[in-house]
Amino acid sequence: MTVKRILILAPLLVLVFLLQSYLWVPTYEQQTRGNPDRLNEFIAASIGDASLLNPILTADTASSQIEGMVFEGLIDRDENLYFRGRLASSWDVYEEAYFYVNDAASIPGRGKMPGEEIVDLLIRAKHENDLPDPGLKDALRNIMEVSAIPPREFEVFRSEKIPGELKEKRRIKINIKAPARIKLRLTSVDQDLFRHLTKILGANYFASFRGEQYISTEPDVSGVRLAEYAGELVPATENNPVLVFHLRPNVRFHDGHVFDANDVKFTFDAIMNPKNLSPRIADYEPVKTVEVIDPLTVRIVYKRLYSPAIGTWGMGILPEHILNHEALKKEAGRLGKDPDKFGMRQSTFNRHPVGCGPFVFQDWKSDQYITLKWFDGYWEGPPNYKRYMFRIIPDLLTQEMEFYAGTIDSYGVQPHQVNRLKTDPRFQCFSGASFGYTYIGYNMRRAPFDNPEVRKALGMAIDVDKIIDYVLYSQGEKITGPFVKQTDYYNHGIKPVPYDPAGALRLLAKAGWKPNKEGWLQKDGKKLQFTLITNSGNDLRKAILAIAQDAWRQIGIDVRTDLLEWSVFLQERVDKADFDALILGWSMGIEPDLYQIWHSSQTRPHQLNFVGFKNKEADELIIKIRQEYDREKQVKYCHILHEIIAREQPYTFLYVSKWTAVLDKRIVIRETDDKGNVVYKKITPTKTGNYNFYFNKWIKLRDAPDFSADG
Amino acid sequence: MLSFIGRSIIQKIITLFFVSVVSFLIIHLAPGKPSQVDPMNPKFTPEMVERFRLEFHLDKPLHTQYLYFYRDLFTGKTVSWKDNQSVLKKIWERFLNSLPLFIVGTILTWTLSFPIGIRSAIFRGGFYDRSTTFLAYLLISIPGFFFAYILIIFVVTHFHVPVIGMETFGLGASSWIRVAMDRVWHLLIPSILGATGGIAVLSRYVRSQMLEVEGQDYVRTARAKGLPPDQVHYKHALRNALLPFVTMFGLILPGLIGGSVIIESIFSWPGMGRMAYEAILARDYPVILTVNFVSAVLVLAGTFISDLLYLVVDPRIRL
């Protein structure tokens, strides 16, 4: 019967054809032996795909990882997290400070003085040797030049919303008759300059300056708006830090075009161009001007003191010749698109980037892989690997399987697997603390969380060590404050809150919360009762939620818990500050700028200080840290700030999680020593735990080398 | 006939309109925002979020947004918010990736189900029938992702070959046949997984259809005439039992675009299902809505085709 035969044979044939394909696929061993090229390529895996490969348009991890290899910034951070020059070979930081001559104020012992006389006064004071105040002495010594700027008149236009109308805006003409101004050039940035100068010029010299009297507007604006314009256009004092980058000569983009200062300026302009919708615009907002002095020198003047600004120049530099206005117009013409609507966001550059980093972009298949090739013209010498593959594998278990099958070279181990893989002889293993922490935050606007003792007691009731041991499989470390643990900003002298339920009860009793007949804590007839919330979908936080609830119940606090969907959690609870306590995490940058999360001005709805932490001392330090350009002083301030936050306990700081990564043992560092011999070294992590800092020197060998001799 | 086609098309267009309105509303009213306007990113200032909202027309009333979206869709100008790529182009690329998986999966399902189902029907109640019944229910009830993991771990640890993705990475320059066979191998496991559920269900259908037909008078007549059993089973019974499956064929059309989120994610297969899933996570409205619209069109087209197939195959039905 033919039908019967067909029905049986057809599936058999299909299956045999499919199964025989197994014979053609290379196994782990064959991949490197049968294919020498495999040794020259590194295959990495990521859970998510990149979105765009343009450093100024993206902020996600996957895109940044590729951008970091294709593009190069002016500076980056070295093994110890200090800045080091990349496209810039060196840089200088100095300051230009200005203040207006205050006609109304009289200088102690000298009366009213015009500009030139103040200049003389300051120069004379600088050369005086027997000044009583050492701070003033240092401040004056730091002044390189003093000069007077004559009064000038100018006008500017602003548009502002008409009160009561939604969309209409009006144009305002502002005439400014600015008085004489004194310009000071300082060798290094000094945030206390004007405070010290008041010792010469009189305590109220700057504070009593009224800018409003020098401006007039058309049409008239009154009161507060006028004062705002005055503050902006005729500020009593102004600090302008200046950053001068000296660029490395003869650096080329991947297409052979020579990199110069215009590319830096272009990158900055592109970020600031509102049409590009760059997510990095906030980082560069404090920049006043970017000037190209000569092809290898860029001078950046800032509007105000803002030390995190230096780090922003680690941003990849875009090639101007491919993305400038004419080039985009041409591209629009070629693609048949409307040139007026065609901007950098629309350009095909975002999927075919050209930078001057160590790797050249080759190919990108969405949700599959991105391929990079080494750049043999890289200024620091090409990397050892000839190819870099970035695979997108959304599932962690499959990533692990691919790692075992040899089609990924590194694998980020999950906490529960660490003990198993750490000792596996096939792999080398690295681990370190991550740049982020998990915490329980208390809404300090609500009782009983307005009492630091209560917050501390709540923290003391939770056994963080147990959380680390059982929830994180020991892959975590305790943390006591909001700085990255590997940096020196973190104050290691601060002891974590101890696990001490009895002590917690004592503290609570001191705050008036005493156990009632049923064992619940009570004050003025009211039970201590609140709700702890977190977002759903995060198993770690869910586990902590249960642990904290249980720990608090054991000392007699009636805690309810709630899990909310992420967006509901944010919009309805966090943004509106409608919660008692919550579990969340922050990821941190290396910069110690805590303004957005801890400053008291950031406590309104939709801002990030949602716990409502307000502390005058902390506010001052946060601003000081932002304005300080001297690392040692910054570290000092950070340590004090860390102490304040640890004392106040606005959060119960729980832990930083540890990451672990495994690599094939055959991957090593290959270097050429001074005599031209090739030397192989074991990959060792830097002090901060970064194991792929020397990635450009990595290579895979045919057989795992034996480093037992070097220990 | 013609009036049936005309009526059916008009009905389907009306349904499509409602589907488009409802899906648009559901997506816009669901909590969450496109990742570009995520308020939890400390780097995003309110002005930037506002600018993105303007750019995406999110500040406009919903009905205007609806018109904007469908105007762009029909002129082929919709772009993804994530990467500014044309949505239709993206869908087409993903469709081509999902297609081989779909084809191999369908071939496996349809070729294997029939012999299995027919044999169980013929030897009803025997050991073979019982064991296939047991297996079918096992496969229906076992979660797909679990089965997938078991299979992957088994293959990787026992055979030491890669199974994830569309090809082996780092294969280098090999002969074309090697590359082709490598791709077939990577197709094999995900499509087997995709097919298991289908085989289990479809073979049950085949069995019950066969049983029903085998009980009919004309089959008994054929047997009584003394025809060999194979001829009775495969000629008289099977032909008539096939009737409902012809219509089922039209309904597999929507499967083309649906893909399988779970299988594609586990095997990191860059297909349609995964794209739609990731678009939902990023609240990339244009991609979600376009996929939704296209699949609605395919579902309606599928039912239309199966109606027509019925007309062609079954002479009893005349409209």
Side-chain angles (χ1 to χ4, degrees), chain A residues 85 87-92 244-248:
Chain A
L87 290 181
S89 50
S90 64
W91 62 95
D92 313 314
V244 179
F245 283 111
H246 305 286
L247 306 180
R248 216 173 275 281

Side-chain angles (χ1 to χ4, degrees), chain A residues 510-682:
Chain A
K510 226 167 83 187
W513 297 97
K514 306 232 163 77
N516 65 7
K517 270 181 231 145
E518 288 113 47
W520 297 113
L521 291 177
Q522 192 173 303
K523 181 182 179 180
D524 307 332
K526 252 186 83 187
K527 256 193 348 186
L528 181 48
Q529 187 182 59
F530 63 88
T531 312
L532 176 68
I533 57 170
T534 193
N535 62 302
S536 56
N538 185 323
D539 290 339
L540 289 180
R541 286 184 199 153
K542 199 171 140 191
I544 296 167
L545 193 77
I547 292 172
Q549 183 186 29
D550 179 57
W552 287 337
R553 269 178 184 252
Q554 282 185 13
I555 61 167
I557 302 168
D558 185 11
V559 184
R560 314 281 161 87
T561 58
D562 202 359
L563 279 174
L564 298 148
E565 201 264 333
W566 180 241
S567 46
V568 179
F569 176 67
L570 287 187
Q571 284 171 17
E572 300 300 320
R573 299 309 201 82
V574 177
D575 282 351
K576 295 179 181 164
D578 179 19
F579 62 90
D580 298 326
L582 50 71
I583 303 173
L584 255 181
W586 284 121
S587 58
M588 301 174 275
I590 294 165
E591 280 310 329
D593 183 17
L594 299 185
Y595 188 78
Q596 275 154 315
I597 303 178
W598 297 97
H599 196 268
S600 62
S601 67
Q602 305 293 309
T603 50
R604 277 169 286 156
H606 293 282
Q607 289 181 324
L608 298 180
N609 188 353
F610 39 74
V611 293
F613 177 70
K614 286 184 183 171
N615 184 305
K616 241 183 128 191
E617 220 184 323
D619 279 355
E620 271 170 28
L621 280 166
I622 288 168
I623 299 289
K624 265 188 166 173
I625 291 166
R626 258 198 155 183
Q627 298 189 342
E628 188 52 65
Y629 281 66
D630 183 75
R631 183 154 163 156
E632 267 165 41
K633 280 189 194 162
Q634 240 183 354
V635 168
K636 206 177 79 198
Y637 297 145
C638 287
H639 283 193
I640 307 173
L641 179 58
H642 189 159
E643 252 173 62
I644 296 172
I645 291 176
R647 191 175 65 225
E648 289 289 316
Q649 289 283 316
Y651 293 170
T652 293
F653 290 91
L654 296 173
Y655 62 83
V656 271
S657 53
K658 268 162 69 176
W659 53 262
T660 301
V662 281
L663 283 180
D664 190 325
K665 266 239 166 91
R666 289 181 287 187
I667 297 174
V668 296
I669 286 179
R670 186 177 71 196
E671 278 178 325
T672 319
D673 66 8
D674 303 335
K675 291 173 207 140
N677 300 325
V678 176
V679 189
Y680 294 105
K681 278 199 230 160
K682 201 170 156 177

Side-chain angles (χ1 to χ4, degrees), chain A residues 291-449:
Chain A
E291 285 169 74
V292 174
I293 308 279
D294 63 58
L296 290 179
T297 317
V298 200
R299 182 168 178 269
I300 299 143
V301 182
Y302 283 88
K303 290 178 200 160
R304 56 173 184 273
L305 298 172
Y306 182 64
S307 60
I310 300 178
T312 60
W313 294 99
M315 174 61 203
I317 299 298
L318 298 174
E320 190 209 348
H321 64 283
I322 301 181
L323 288 168
N324 64 18
H325 191 61
E326 288 79 56
L328 285 179
K329 225 168 161 179
K330 247 189 240 162
E331 195 188 328
R334 209 169 51 239
L335 298 172
K337 302 238 170 91
D338 180 5
D340 294 331
K341 283 188 184 162
F342 195 84
M344 195 181 281
R345 267 193 180 266
Q346 281 71 37
S347 170
T348 50
F349 178 86
N350 302 329
R351 289 187 74 84
H352 301 91
V354 175
C356 29
F359 285 90
V360 182
F361 174 83
Q362 250 191 329
D363 190 18
W364 178 7
K365 281 247 161 68
S366 287
D367 275 350
Q368 289 188 65
Y369 59 81
I370 297 171
T371 324
L372 310 176
K373 192 178 74 181
W374 72 345
F375 179 38
D376 48 9
Y378 185 52
W379 62 271
E380 215 182 15
N384 284 342
Y385 275 125
K386 289 200 173 118
R387 247 150 67 95
Y388 179 87
M389 302 275 269
F390 184 79
R391 292 182 62 185
I392 293 97
I393 303 178
D395 186 271
L396 280 177
L397 188 119
T398 31
Q399 271 193 19
E400 186 189 351
M401 289 299 134
E402 284 292 272
F403 178 66
Y404 296 147
T407 42
I408 301 180
D409 283 324
S410 75
Y411 168 62
V413 184
Q414 294 175 72
H416 65 274
Q417 305 170 317
V418 171
N419 280 330
R420 174 157 54 89
L421 286 173
K422 208 163 57 182
T423 47
D424 197 311
R426 286 174 296 168
F427 312 126
Q428 42 185 335
C429 176
F430 304 94
S431 70
S434 51
F435 286 16
Y437 59 89
T438 301
Y439 61 88
I440 301 178
Y442 305 104
N443 191 347
M444 294 168 69
R445 303 169 191 89
R446 293 188 181 172
F449 306 115

Side-chain angles (χ1 to χ4, degrees), chain A residues 1 3-4 7-8 10-11 14-15 17-28 30-31 35 37-38 41 43 47 49-52 59 273-275 277-283 345-346 351 366-369 389 391-395 397-398 401-402 404-405 407 565-568 570-571 574-575 584 586 596 606 608 610, chain B residues 31-33 38-45 48 51-52 55 81-85 93-94 97 104 107-108 111-112 114-115 118 149 152-153 156-157 159-173 175 177-178 181-182 184-186 188 191-192 230-231 234-235 238 264-270 274-275 278 283:
Chain A
M1 207 49 222
V3 180
K4 186 180 176 183
L7 278 178
I8 291 170
V14 170
L15 277 178
F17 172 74
L18 290 175
L19 287 173
Q20 61 83 34
S21 63
Y22 164 69
L23 303 171
W24 300 84
V25 185
T27 65
Y28 184 61
Q30 286 161 2
Q31 280 171 46
N35 174 17
D37 284 346
R38 179 65 184 84
E41 63 184 19
I43 307 178
I47 294 181
D49 196 0
S51 52
L52 297 173
N273 184 350
K275 224 172 117 187
L277 297 167
S278 168
R280 295 178 188 264
I281 199 163
D283 287 347
R345 267 193 180 266
Q346 281 71 37
R351 289 187 74 84
S366 287
D367 275 350
Q368 289 188 65
Y369 59 81
M389 302 275 269
R391 292 182 62 185
I392 293 97
I393 303 178
D395 186 271
L397 188 119
T398 31
M401 289 299 134
E402 284 292 272
Y404 296 147
T407 42
E565 201 264 333
W566 180 241
S567 46
V568 179
L570 287 187
Q571 284 171 17
V574 177
D575 282 351
L584 255 181
W586 284 121
Q596 275 154 315
H606 293 282
L608 298 180
F610 39 74
Chain B
K33 286 181 180 160
D38 179 8
M40 266 316 259
N41 189 337
K43 299 229 155 174
F44 284 12
T45 59
M48 270 168 53
R51 229 180 285 136
F52 269 108
E55 171 83 12
W81 288 347
K82 186 179 157 207
D83 52 13
N84 270 308
Q85 289 232 79
E93 276 172 19
R94 293 319 184 83
N97 290 338
V104 176
I107 290 177
L108 281 175
T111 52
L112 282 167
F114 279 92
I118 292 169
Y149 283 146
I152 292 173
I153 293 174
V156 171
T157 50
F159 299 98
H160 305 286
V161 287
V163 288
I164 315 295
M166 289 174 69
E167 63 202 324
T168 299
F169 270 72
L171 200 59
S175 58
I177 178 132
R178 220 189 168 109
M181 283 303 164
D182 183 61
V184 172
W185 170 252
H186 279 83
L188 173 67
S191 43
I192 284 184
D230 272 0
Q231 203 165 348
Y234 292 100
K235 204 164 176 188
L238 184 62
E264 283 175 3
S265 296
I266 291 177
F267 286 88
S268 69
W269 196 273
R274 212 175 119 203
M275 180 181 74
E278 267 152 28
R283 303 285 195 275

Side-chain angles (χ1 to χ4, degrees), chain A residues 54 89 113 182 209 229 247 339 344 447 486 506 564 601 682:
Chain A
N54 184 331
S89 50
M113 282 174 117
I182 309 291
F209 179 78
Y229 283 129
L247 306 180
M344 195 181 281
Q486 295 96 316
R506 277 196 299 279
L564 298 148
S601 67
K682 201 170 156 177

